[in-house]
Amino acid sequence: DVKVTQSSRYLVKRTGEKVFLECVQDMDHENMFWYRQDPGLGLRLIYFSYDVKMKEKGDIPEGYSVSREKKERFSLILESASTNQTSMYLCASSRDAYEQYFGPGTRLTVT
Amino acid sequence: GENVEQHPSTLSVQEGDSAVIKCTYSDSASNYFPWYKQELGKRPQLIIDIRSNVGEKKDQRIAVTLNKTAKHFSLHITETQPEDSAVYFCAASGSGGKLIFGQGTELSVKP
């Protein structure tokens, strides 16, 4: 059974702080993704990675960066958190270009 | 650019009725169309998917139809039950193995 975990379910940070969101998958998947979920906007892709040390920009990469030093771990970094980054963040992984398995999400509030 | 439009944004039905959610996509190269269900407070989970070489797929009370010429696909749920209440997302495969998600449909099944 595929398991995707995220480091925090809820996180509260102050404006300007550096924020790290961690995602770990245990199925040796090559592909990993970070999405942001906002009401009425669906799931928007921030960044994705096909392999260790590889990253590709998604639809809304501004204000974010990522790191993938190990195959099982994909980190999302907010260099200087802003209030408009308050959102639900979902990580996902996949073996191929098809089914993606999601983590439980991190609800981030920036005050 | 790559885009998926999903309608309606909210849908309320009586228990036992059918529910239909529709999506259109822009990229004619898309060849994979999954549907995800997200219950309140939980992660999105795949409920059914279809590839471009078939026009319809059914799994018990759930079916998906695909019209590649018109670039639209639909989710059909028959004999709805209260536990079908959730947010449903459609998606279409994009360039580089991404999934492009629709905006989501909040389905409410009233007992």
Side-chain angles (χ1 to χ4, degrees):
Chain A
D1 198 21
V2 177
K3 193 169 184 181
V4 181
T5 58
Q6 295 182 227
S7 50
S8 305
R9 291 301 305 272
Y10 300 93
L11 208 53
V12 180
K13 294 292 181 180
R14 294 197 179 274
T15 301
E17 279 192 84
K18 191 169 186 176
V19 182
F20 293 87
L21 303 182
E22 301 280 332
C23 176
V24 177
Q25 50 94 6
D26 67 355
M27 285 302 293
D28 199 36
H29 284 172
E30 289 77 18
N31 308 322
M32 296 189 76
F33 307 84
W34 273 107
Y35 294 91
R36 144 172 202 165
Q37 182 176 13
D38 300 288
L41 297 178
L43 302 172
R44 294 182 292 166
L45 183 64
I46 304 171
Y47 268 97
F48 59 108
S49 170
Y50 291 130
D51 202 349
V52 175
K53 297 192 186 296
M54 292 185 65
K55 60 184 179 183
E56 296 283 343
K57 291 181 179 179
D59 300 318
I60 52 166
E62 297 78 18
Y64 304 94
S65 62
V66 291
S67 173
R68 194 166 181 200
E69 296 296 320
K70 293 185 178 182
K71 190 175 186 179
E72 67 270 18
R73 189 180 298 270
F74 192 34
S75 302
L76 180 69
I77 304 155
L78 287 66
E79 294 290 341
S80 178
S82 63
T83 55
N84 63 10
Q85 292 178 310
T86 290
S87 187
M88 170 68 81
Y89 291 87
L90 287 163
C91 174
S93 73
S94 72
R95 183 175 306 283
D96 49 30
Y98 299 113
E99 181 176 2
Q100 293 185 14
Y101 297 85
F102 284 87
T106 295
R107 184 164 294 282
L108 173 66
T109 301
V110 183
T111 62
Chain B
E2 300 164 318
N3 187 45
V4 174
E5 294 288 333
Q6 181 173 346
H7 298 281
S9 57
T10 60
L11 181 59
S12 182
V13 299
Q14 287 296 132
E15 183 177 359
D17 287 351
S18 295
V20 180
I21 303 170
K22 298 182 179 182
C23 290
T24 58
Y25 61 98
S26 61
D27 186 357
S28 56
S30 294
N31 61 2
Y32 174 66
F33 307 90
W35 286 88
Y36 285 82
K37 175 183 180 182
Q38 185 178 29
E39 297 178 7
L40 190 63
K42 297 191 176 180
R43 71 191 75 193
Q45 291 197 301
L46 181 74
I47 55 171
I48 194 167
D49 56 12
I50 191 169
R51 303 194 184 188
S52 59
N53 57 347
V54 297
E56 185 173 356
K57 184 177 179 181
K58 192 172 182 180
D59 182 4
Q60 298 183 7
R61 297 186 297 108
I62 295 173
V64 58
T65 59
L66 171 65
N67 183 326
K68 284 220 74 177
T69 303
K71 290 194 282 188
H72 65 70
F73 56 113
S74 301
L75 178 71
H76 304 252
I77 306 174
T78 58
E79 300 172 26
T80 53
Q81 301 167 3
E83 52 265 37
D84 294 329
S85 296
V87 178
Y88 291 81
F89 293 99
C90 64
S93 56
S95 59
K98 298 181 298 186
L99 288 179
I100 312 301
F101 283 86
Q103 296 85 353
T105 296
E106 184 174 359
L107 173 64
S108 176
V109 180
K110 300 189 184 305

